[in-house]
Amino acid sequence: MENIPGTNILDEVTQGDYKFGFYTDIENDTAPRGLTEDTIRFISAKKEEPEWMLASRLKAFRHWLTLKEPEWAHVHYPAINYQNIIYYAAPKKKEYASLDEIDPELLETFNKLGISLDEQKKLTGVAVDAVIDSVSVKTTFQDTLGKHGVIFCSFSEAVRNHPELIQKYMGSVVPYTDNYFAALNSAVFSDGSFCFIPKGVRCPLELSTYFRINAANTGQFERTLIVAEDSSYVSYMEGCTAPMRDENQLHAAIVEIVAMDDAEVKYSTVQNWYPGDKNGLGGVYNFVTKRGLCKGRNSKISWTQVETGSAITWKYPSCVLMGDNSVGEFYSVAVTNHYQQADTGTKMIHIGKNTRSTIISKGISAGKSNNSYRGLVKILPAAANSRNFSQCDSLLLGDRCGAHTFPYIQARNETSIVEHEATTSKISEDQLFYCKQRGIDTEKAIGLIVNGYAKEVLNKLPMEFAVEAQKLLAITLEGSVG
Amino acid sequence: MLLNIKNLHVAINGKEIIKGLNLGVNKGEVHAIMGPNGTGKSTLAAAITGREGYEITQGEIWFKGKNIIGMPAEERANEGIFLSFQYPVEIPGVSMTNFMRTALNAQREYQGLPSVPAGEFLKLMEEKKNLVEIHAKLTNRSVNEGFSGGEKKKNEIFQMAMLQPSLAILDETDSGLDIDALKVVAKGVNELRSDDNAFIVITHYQRLLDFIVPDFVHVLFDGKIVKTGGKNLALELEEKGYEWIKEQYLATSEL
Ligand SMILES: Nc1ncnc2c1ncn2[C@@H]1O[C@H](COP(=O)(O)OP(=O)(O)O)[C@@H](O)[C@H]1O
Ligand SMILES: [Mg+2]
């Protein structure tokens, strides 16, 4: 049966609730509003940083002052007043030797998010670093990991305890000169996670960091650095949420990954920052630079992301395939509803010989949202026999949302092969009715259809994340049809 | 009476398609509905199953003692109405197993029962697959994706067997099937057939009715049931076509 005009049930857009919109009332230590060299000195002093770290921040700040905010992304938002943001907010007490010392409110926050910081209770074998606003409050399983020589700690701790590693690797993949938001982050970054997997070690636990913006008017500028030495392996997961607020909040993070010879890093994200309400009020601006360097031969970095949150997403997890035979992968599901805007994709830079990359991007747009895929596949002259395969699919729910694909291909080696496929489809009334006729209600039907569509990507997520992501997809689109 | 349709009028986009239809179906009965293309057979099925866009302008549909007009489609399904689609759709990436489990659990939730345990569910799947002779690979694939026409129809019958409806409407399930597939479909229906449920079999051809023997045959024409008879009416229609029915109908309506 054809679509029946005037009765398009995909037409009606109502509210799907954001589950993580609560705010925790905890005592905060905050920097004064605005951004000057003094702000940076304040942050650095709070963190009791060595002189070299402060110098590096100031260098980045001075560079940032010379830059202009990028405008090429397919997103629209009012100008950000960088002087109106608080660049540092931390629960009063900074680090906790034991769980008992943590503010019960804070513990409750993580419980509500479904994140257990209690190692005794944790049976799933996931080590967690929990970052709230500008500081890491707790990293679990450090002892277990330590026995294997794995370092997993907050970035601040790493600056103090492993300065040689930080100095060697920080900025080696994403230099402060990389882009506007990277420069900003390099100047004001607060906390984040550091992982180091020594040679030959297969990390015995999944590592994961949960980021939570809590305080009002506060930007979140975290930094993650993962270093995988020769023949090591790690799977790392990142999750994030924020309270519901009417004003927009800025999140500008940097993630750097380095993989040496035969090393493999799997990086999974479920991004669920507050997306704003159904009228487009509030929500997080998510401007993130994520890049992995396959430095060694036969190294592999794969990015898997499920993007359901944020008012605006500007994010291109990328791989620089330097080592011969290295492999880069990007699997993405990006969902936008209501007035959300996402401009996301990846860059695969082939430098070494026989390098391979795979890009699978699944965009899902509902409501009045805009969802763009932007990807660059660049094959340098030395990258003989390199290969890329890209597949970019868009799924539309209703007819007031947009899906756009911007694939850029620069192939400068004749022996390389680059393939690109793209499709756009809609959830049809027929599919919905078919499900309903089998007793499945509209919301469940959409969840089912969307999860089916995104299956290829969801399958790449670690088990415990995949289940969460499936639920999240369904929740995000809850109420996206009448 | 399981299903009782009284003076039903259905319009699509303001155009009346069903124009005062009456039909009563008791438990244990099989009703065949025949009629030329475009007379409103699928529209009737859509109205009974609650598809949106099919406006009930007049009349009542009673099912198990409830007037179901205005009841959402999924609720009608969970009340026990099943439609074997004339054109089953594909749902990429959703495995038949997942789809069926979701459907069965929705039904159980509606009935206030707990979800079906995984082991029990898989056993049921195996049993019903055999019943309709669906090849094992079918259940591991995505819903209807890459299925042949015949496989899609068998899949409908498989789903019917899984969900055990009290009223199953088969909308041209026989169209485009070869004789072997037809027998499989008929076997599926006959095995399910009991004193507790009923079938409405929409078909063009008498052929299917050799295997699924109806208690009543109705001829639908111009949005109304214009003639009702026993199984011999189907034979007569096969032989003489619909012209004589049309003529009879037009002659009486001119009076
Ligand atoms: N979705 C629709 N939009 C507009 N007209 C429709 C639609 N579906 C059916 N019709 C019209 O309703 C009439 C009956 O169609 P249908 O119920 O499919 O007939 P049958 O199943 O008996 O072949 C036809 O004239 C057809 O064109
Ligand atoms: Mg029809």
Side-chain angles (χ1 to χ4, degrees), chain A residues 339-361:
Chain A
Y339 285 89
Q340 280 177 276
Q341 307 174 54
D343 194 299
T344 184
T346 184
K347 286 192 257 181
M348 293 290 174
I349 316 292
H350 293 253
I351 300 172
K353 292 187 190 60
N354 306 316
T355 46
R356 279 175 292 137
S357 63
T358 305
I359 299 171
I360 309 282
S361 162

PDB file of all heavy atoms in Angstrom, chain A residues 339-361:
ATOM      1  N   TYR A 339      15.624  19.631  17.498  1.00  0.00           N
ATOM      2  CA  TYR A 339      16.437  20.623  16.783  1.00  0.00           C
ATOM      3  C   TYR A 339      17.931  20.310  16.833  1.00  0.00           C
ATOM      4  O   TYR A 339      18.754  21.180  16.610  1.00  0.00           O
ATOM      5  CB  TYR A 339      16.174  22.011  17.355  1.00  0.00           C
ATOM      6  CG  TYR A 339      14.841  22.573  16.926  1.00  0.00           C
ATOM      7  CD1 TYR A 339      13.692  22.338  17.666  1.00  0.00           C
ATOM      8  CD2 TYR A 339      14.726  23.329  15.752  1.00  0.00           C
ATOM      9  CE1 TYR A 339      12.457  22.833  17.271  1.00  0.00           C
ATOM     10  CE2 TYR A 339      13.499  23.827  15.346  1.00  0.00           C
ATOM     11  CZ  TYR A 339      12.367  23.580  16.109  1.00  0.00           C
ATOM     12  OH  TYR A 339      11.158  24.078  15.700  1.00  0.00           O
ATOM     13  N   GLN A 340      18.273  19.074  17.152  1.00  0.00           N
ATOM     14  CA  GLN A 340      19.696  18.737  17.239  1.00  0.00           C
ATOM     15  C   GLN A 340      20.388  18.867  15.879  1.00  0.00           C
ATOM     16  O   GLN A 340      19.773  18.644  14.840  1.00  0.00           O
ATOM     17  CB  GLN A 340      19.848  17.285  17.702  1.00  0.00           C
ATOM     18  CG  GLN A 340      19.693  17.076  19.184  1.00  0.00           C
ATOM     19  CD  GLN A 340      19.797  15.597  19.503  1.00  0.00           C
ATOM     20  OE1 GLN A 340      18.815  14.870  19.399  1.00  0.00           O
ATOM     21  NE2 GLN A 340      20.968  15.138  19.876  1.00  0.00           N
ATOM     22  N   GLN A 341      21.669  19.210  15.930  1.00  0.00           N
ATOM     23  CA  GLN A 341      22.461  19.268  14.707  1.00  0.00           C
ATOM     24  C   GLN A 341      23.727  18.454  14.921  1.00  0.00           C
ATOM     25  O   GLN A 341      24.402  18.634  15.925  1.00  0.00           O
ATOM     26  CB  GLN A 341      22.871  20.710  14.399  1.00  0.00           C
ATOM     27  CG  GLN A 341      21.717  21.703  14.364  1.00  0.00           C
ATOM     28  CD  GLN A 341      22.226  23.130  14.201  1.00  0.00           C
ATOM     29  OE1 GLN A 341      22.981  23.432  13.281  1.00  0.00           O
ATOM     30  NE2 GLN A 341      21.838  24.003  15.101  1.00  0.00           N
ATOM     31  N   ALA A 342      24.007  17.595  13.978  1.00  0.00           N
ATOM     32  CA  ALA A 342      25.240  16.821  14.081  1.00  0.00           C
ATOM     33  C   ALA A 342      26.007  16.940  12.775  1.00  0.00           C
ATOM     34  O   ALA A 342      25.444  16.792  11.694  1.00  0.00           O
ATOM     35  CB  ALA A 342      24.934  15.361  14.376  1.00  0.00           C
ATOM     36  N   ASP A 343      27.265  17.278  12.889  1.00  0.00           N
ATOM     37  CA  ASP A 343      28.164  17.244  11.738  1.00  0.00           C
ATOM     38  C   ASP A 343      29.299  16.356  12.205  1.00  0.00           C
ATOM     39  O   ASP A 343      30.123  16.763  13.011  1.00  0.00           O
ATOM     40  CB  ASP A 343      28.648  18.663  11.396  1.00  0.00           C
ATOM     41  CG  ASP A 343      29.309  18.716  10.022  1.00  0.00           C
ATOM     42  OD1 ASP A 343      30.330  18.021   9.836  1.00  0.00           O
ATOM     43  OD2 ASP A 343      28.809  19.433   9.139  1.00  0.00           O
ATOM     44  N   THR A 344      29.262  15.127  11.772  1.00  0.00           N
ATOM     45  CA  THR A 344      30.252  14.181  12.287  1.00  0.00           C
ATOM     46  C   THR A 344      30.693  13.218  11.196  1.00  0.00           C
ATOM     47  O   THR A 344      29.990  13.028  10.202  1.00  0.00           O
ATOM     48  CB  THR A 344      29.708  13.429  13.536  1.00  0.00           C
ATOM     49  OG1 THR A 344      30.731  12.578  14.055  1.00  0.00           O
ATOM     50  CG2 THR A 344      28.469  12.610  13.219  1.00  0.00           C
ATOM     51  N   GLY A 345      31.850  12.669  11.398  1.00  0.00           N
ATOM     52  CA  GLY A 345      32.406  11.767  10.399  1.00  0.00           C
ATOM     53  C   GLY A 345      33.820  11.429  10.807  1.00  0.00           C
ATOM     54  O   GLY A 345      34.113  11.364  12.000  1.00  0.00           O
ATOM     55  N   THR A 346      34.679  11.268   9.834  1.00  0.00           N
ATOM     56  CA  THR A 346      36.029  10.830  10.179  1.00  0.00           C
ATOM     57  C   THR A 346      37.026  11.294   9.128  1.00  0.00           C
ATOM     58  O   THR A 346      36.633  11.747   8.045  1.00  0.00           O
ATOM     59  CB  THR A 346      36.067   9.288  10.298  1.00  0.00           C
ATOM     60  OG1 THR A 346      37.367   8.883  10.714  1.00  0.00           O
ATOM     61  CG2 THR A 346      35.739   8.615   8.969  1.00  0.00           C
ATOM     62  N   LYS A 347      38.282  11.182   9.471  1.00  0.00           N
ATOM     63  CA  LYS A 347      39.331  11.371   8.471  1.00  0.00           C
ATOM     64  C   LYS A 347      40.228  10.155   8.528  1.00  0.00           C
ATOM     65  O   LYS A 347      40.619   9.722   9.613  1.00  0.00           O
ATOM     66  CB  LYS A 347      40.176  12.607   8.799  1.00  0.00           C
ATOM     67  CG  LYS A 347      39.473  13.918   8.524  1.00  0.00           C
ATOM     68  CD  LYS A 347      40.460  15.070   8.584  1.00  0.00           C
ATOM     69  CE  LYS A 347      40.318  15.825   9.886  1.00  0.00           C
ATOM     70  NZ  LYS A 347      41.240  16.964   9.991  1.00  0.00           N
ATOM     71  N   MET A 348      40.515   9.594   7.384  1.00  0.00           N
ATOM     72  CA  MET A 348      41.455   8.483   7.316  1.00  0.00           C
ATOM     73  C   MET A 348      42.623   8.965   6.446  1.00  0.00           C
ATOM     74  O   MET A 348      42.451   9.212   5.244  1.00  0.00           O
ATOM     75  CB  MET A 348      40.808   7.249   6.676  1.00  0.00           C
ATOM     76  CG  MET A 348      39.693   6.638   7.524  1.00  0.00           C
ATOM     77  SD  MET A 348      40.375   5.858   9.008  1.00  0.00           S
ATOM     78  CE  MET A 348      38.858   5.406   9.861  1.00  0.00           C
ATOM     79  N   ILE A 349      43.763   9.122   7.073  1.00  0.00           N
ATOM     80  CA  ILE A 349      44.932   9.616   6.355  1.00  0.00           C
ATOM     81  C   ILE A 349      45.891   8.450   6.149  1.00  0.00           C
ATOM     82  O   ILE A 349      46.490   7.940   7.104  1.00  0.00           O
ATOM     83  CB  ILE A 349      45.657  10.734   7.155  1.00  0.00           C
ATOM     84  CG1 ILE A 349      44.659  11.739   7.740  1.00  0.00           C
ATOM     85  CG2 ILE A 349      46.727  11.407   6.296  1.00  0.00           C
ATOM     86  CD1 ILE A 349      43.936  12.584   6.739  1.00  0.00           C
ATOM     87  N   HIS A 350      45.994   8.013   4.892  1.00  0.00           N
ATOM     88  CA  HIS A 350      46.859   6.869   4.587  1.00  0.00           C
ATOM     89  C   HIS A 350      48.254   7.368   4.227  1.00  0.00           C
ATOM     90  O   HIS A 350      48.425   8.067   3.236  1.00  0.00           O
ATOM     91  CB  HIS A 350      46.296   6.078   3.409  1.00  0.00           C
ATOM     92  CG  HIS A 350      44.999   5.387   3.714  1.00  0.00           C
ATOM     93  ND1 HIS A 350      44.910   4.030   3.874  1.00  0.00           N
ATOM     94  CD2 HIS A 350      43.747   5.864   3.906  1.00  0.00           C
ATOM     95  CE1 HIS A 350      43.645   3.694   4.140  1.00  0.00           C
ATOM     96  NE2 HIS A 350      42.925   4.801   4.161  1.00  0.00           N
ATOM     97  N   ILE A 351      49.226   6.988   5.053  1.00  0.00           N
ATOM     98  CA  ILE A 351      50.608   7.401   4.783  1.00  0.00           C
ATOM     99  C   ILE A 351      51.460   6.178   4.457  1.00  0.00           C
ATOM    100  O   ILE A 351      52.215   6.168   3.503  1.00  0.00           O
ATOM    101  CB  ILE A 351      51.190   8.153   6.002  1.00  0.00           C
ATOM    102  CG1 ILE A 351      50.345   9.410   6.297  1.00  0.00           C
ATOM    103  CG2 ILE A 351      52.657   8.535   5.738  1.00  0.00           C
ATOM    104  CD1 ILE A 351      50.702  10.122   7.583  1.00  0.00           C
ATOM    105  N   GLY A 352      51.313   5.127   5.284  1.00  0.00           N
ATOM    106  CA  GLY A 352      52.121   3.920   5.105  1.00  0.00           C
ATOM    107  C   GLY A 352      51.612   3.038   3.975  1.00  0.00           C
ATOM    108  O   GLY A 352      50.481   3.199   3.489  1.00  0.00           O
ATOM    109  N   LYS A 353      52.429   2.067   3.601  1.00  0.00           N
ATOM    110  CA  LYS A 353      52.046   1.109   2.558  1.00  0.00           C
ATOM    111  C   LYS A 353      51.010   0.118   3.097  1.00  0.00           C
ATOM    112  O   LYS A 353      51.007  -0.195   4.282  1.00  0.00           O
ATOM    113  CB  LYS A 353      53.276   0.303   2.118  1.00  0.00           C
ATOM    114  CG  LYS A 353      54.318   1.107   1.387  1.00  0.00           C
ATOM    115  CD  LYS A 353      55.400   0.162   0.868  1.00  0.00           C
ATOM    116  CE  LYS A 353      56.608   0.920   0.340  1.00  0.00           C
ATOM    117  NZ  LYS A 353      57.262   1.779   1.360  1.00  0.00           N
ATOM    118  N   ASN A 354      50.192  -0.398   2.190  1.00  0.00           N
ATOM    119  CA  ASN A 354      49.199  -1.435   2.534  1.00  0.00           C
ATOM    120  C   ASN A 354      48.306  -1.048   3.703  1.00  0.00           C
ATOM    121  O   ASN A 354      47.888  -1.895   4.479  1.00  0.00           O
ATOM    122  CB  ASN A 354      49.891  -2.760   2.889  1.00  0.00           C
ATOM    123  CG  ASN A 354      50.821  -3.214   1.801  1.00  0.00           C
ATOM    124  OD1 ASN A 354      50.470  -3.162   0.621  1.00  0.00           O
ATOM    125  ND2 ASN A 354      52.012  -3.622   2.182  1.00  0.00           N
ATOM    126  N   THR A 355      48.066   0.212   3.859  1.00  0.00           N
ATOM    127  CA  THR A 355      47.195   0.624   4.957  1.00  0.00           C
ATOM    128  C   THR A 355      45.740   0.466   4.521  1.00  0.00           C
ATOM    129  O   THR A 355      45.408   0.620   3.348  1.00  0.00           O
ATOM    130  CB  THR A 355      47.472   2.077   5.354  1.00  0.00           C
ATOM    131  OG1 THR A 355      47.548   2.865   4.171  1.00  0.00           O
ATOM    132  CG2 THR A 355      48.770   2.199   6.119  1.00  0.00           C
ATOM    133  N   ARG A 356      44.895   0.134   5.484  1.00  0.00           N
ATOM    134  CA  ARG A 356      43.496  -0.116   5.157  1.00  0.00           C
ATOM    135  C   ARG A 356      42.577   0.660   6.092  1.00  0.00           C
ATOM    136  O   ARG A 356      42.843   0.774   7.281  1.00  0.00           O
ATOM    137  CB  ARG A 356      43.181  -1.607   5.296  1.00  0.00           C
ATOM    138  CG  ARG A 356      43.621  -2.433   4.087  1.00  0.00           C
ATOM    139  CD  ARG A 356      43.404  -3.905   4.344  1.00  0.00           C
ATOM    140  NE  ARG A 356      44.305  -4.380   5.388  1.00  0.00           N
ATOM    141  CZ  ARG A 356      43.939  -5.192   6.355  1.00  0.00           C
ATOM    142  NH1 ARG A 356      42.690  -5.623   6.436  1.00  0.00           N
ATOM    143  NH2 ARG A 356      44.805  -5.600   7.277  1.00  0.00           N
ATOM    144  N   SER A 357      41.507   1.177   5.560  1.00  0.00           N
ATOM    145  CA  SER A 357      40.536   1.835   6.437  1.00  0.00           C
ATOM    146  C   SER A 357      39.115   1.488   6.020  1.00  0.00           C
ATOM    147  O   SER A 357      38.823   1.246   4.854  1.00  0.00           O
ATOM    148  CB  SER A 357      40.729   3.350   6.427  1.00  0.00           C
ATOM    149  OG  SER A 357      40.499   3.882   5.142  1.00  0.00           O
ATOM    150  N   THR A 358      38.247   1.431   7.017  1.00  0.00           N
ATOM    151  CA  THR A 358      36.833   1.138   6.795  1.00  0.00           C
ATOM    152  C   THR A 358      36.011   2.199   7.503  1.00  0.00           C
ATOM    153  O   THR A 358      36.290   2.529   8.656  1.00  0.00           O
ATOM    154  CB  THR A 358      36.466  -0.232   7.390  1.00  0.00           C
ATOM    155  OG1 THR A 358      37.327  -1.213   6.840  1.00  0.00           O
ATOM    156  CG2 THR A 358      35.016  -0.603   7.085  1.00  0.00           C
ATOM    157  N   ILE A 359      35.027   2.712   6.816  1.00  0.00           N
ATOM    158  CA  ILE A 359      34.146   3.716   7.411  1.00  0.00           C
ATOM    159  C   ILE A 359      32.705   3.242   7.238  1.00  0.00           C
ATOM    160  O   ILE A 359      32.257   3.015   6.118  1.00  0.00           O
ATOM    161  CB  ILE A 359      34.299   5.079   6.697  1.00  0.00           C
ATOM    162  CG1 ILE A 359      35.735   5.597   6.837  1.00  0.00           C
ATOM    163  CG2 ILE A 359      33.293   6.090   7.238  1.00  0.00           C
ATOM    164  CD1 ILE A 359      36.030   6.825   5.988  1.00  0.00           C
ATOM    165  N   ILE A 360      32.018   3.036   8.348  1.00  0.00           N
ATOM    166  CA  ILE A 360      30.591   2.715   8.263  1.00  0.00           C
ATOM    167  C   ILE A 360      29.856   3.761   9.079  1.00  0.00           C
ATOM    168  O   ILE A 360      30.013   3.842  10.295  1.00  0.00           O
ATOM    169  CB  ILE A 360      30.265   1.313   8.844  1.00  0.00           C
ATOM    170  CG1 ILE A 360      31.155   0.222   8.270  1.00  0.00           C
ATOM    171  CG2 ILE A 360      28.768   0.997   8.675  1.00  0.00           C
ATOM    172  CD1 ILE A 360      30.799  -0.256   6.889  1.00  0.00           C
ATOM    173  N   SER A 361      29.084   4.585   8.412  1.00  0.00           N
ATOM    174  CA  SER A 361      28.385   5.652   9.120  1.00  0.00           C
ATOM    175  C   SER A 361      26.884   5.520   8.910  1.00  0.00           C
ATOM    176  O   SER A 361      26.415   5.400   7.785  1.00  0.00           O
ATOM    177  CB  SER A 361      28.879   6.998   8.595  1.00  0.00           C
ATOM    178  OG  SER A 361      27.957   8.006   8.937  1.00  0.00           O
TER     179      SER A 361
END
